[in-house]
Amino acid sequence: MPKVLVVGASNVDYVALSNNKLIRKDSNIGKLNITFGGVGRNIVENLAILEDDVSFITFLGNDSFGKELRKDLESINVKIYSPNKKERTSSYLAVLDSNGDMDVAICDTEIIDKSTVEDIEPFDDVISEFTSIVLDANINDKIIDHIFKEYSDKKILVEAVSANKVKRYEK
């Protein structure tokens, strides 16, 4: 069974789907779905479903969503490591039109944006145990740079997330 470490983002995802054509600047009738997401978290869930031995360094708030996210991942045997942060758990809100196409989205990633290398240094012993590390490019660039520098002897895979974020890996 492969042993994998993922370092990445976790979100609470709110997705609203309009029943009819969206009317801007008005209340629209539709359905709202709340799930757990985030690129890193989704990778972790899929690896756990494949019965891999998965550990996850992520950034969770000490709020009810952070606690529920942790409980959800632990229920599928994921080992969670998270620095103690004051910010609320990251969230993503998308509004979809009646065809299911995204009209607008807002992502609150303050907890991820404010994370520092010092936040993950307490987990250096954990990181050292792995031969392969998966990074989510949504995490702070300084943390990504730190992992590449300090763990250059490891196989590092990056989920680049978007065309814009992949540019930094074109070296």
Side-chain angles (χ1 to χ4, degrees):
M1 171 180 349
K3 185 174 174 181
V4 182
L5 174 67
V6 177
V7 181
S10 296
N11 292 341
V12 178
D13 291 341
Y14 302 86
V15 178
L17 174 65
S18 179
N19 286 350
N20 301 302
K21 182 178 179 182
L22 281 173
I23 301 171
R24 291 304 201 123
K25 300 183 181 183
D26 197 3
S27 292
N28 290 266
I29 304 299
K31 299 205 178 346
L32 177 66
N33 193 23
I34 303 171
T35 60
F36 294 131
V39 172
R41 186 236 160 252
N42 293 343
I43 292 168
V44 164
E45 179 182 44
N46 287 322
L47 291 171
I49 289 168
L50 293 171
E51 298 183 358
D52 290 344
D53 181 358
V54 185
S55 295
F56 188 29
I57 297 176
T58 192
F59 307 93
L60 301 173
N62 195 21
D63 52 18
S64 60
F65 285 123
K67 291 173 185 171
E68 286 299 315
L69 234 158
R70 177 185 294 275
K71 190 187 313 180
D72 180 65
L73 288 171
E74 288 174 343
S75 75
I76 56 173
N77 298 316
V78 174
K79 294 173 211 72
I80 307 289
Y81 301 92
S82 182
N84 189 11
K85 303 290 286 178
K86 295 178 187 174
E87 296 80 19
R88 68 187 162 268
T89 300
S90 179
S91 58
Y92 177 80
L93 167 69
V95 177
L96 311 180
D97 65 19
S98 58
N99 294 321
D101 294 323
M102 183 174 38
D103 184 66
V104 67
I106 296 174
C107 193
D108 175 358
T109 58
E110 180 182 26
I111 192 169
I112 298 163
D113 300 337
K114 288 187 173 181
S115 294
T116 65
V117 170
E118 290 77 22
D119 288 327
I120 67 158
E121 284 178 336
F123 309 117
D124 279 343
D125 289 345
V126 172
I127 298 169
S128 295
E129 293 176 19
F130 292 85
T131 56
S132 296
I133 302 170
V134 178
L135 297 177
D136 161 1
N138 283 322
I139 61 176
N140 182 300
D141 284 349
K142 290 180 181 168
I143 293 173
I144 292 171
D145 292 342
H146 170 76
I147 291 172
F148 271 104
K149 180 181 173 205
E150 296 299 316
Y151 302 99
S152 60
D153 61 322
K154 309 223 178 264
K155 181 177 183 180
I156 300 175
L157 306 157
V158 179
E159 168 54 73
V161 181
S162 69
N164 187 42
K165 291 188 178 190
V166 78
K167 290 177 183 173
R168 77 177 308 240
Y169 303 101
E170 293 178 337
K171 298 174 187 177

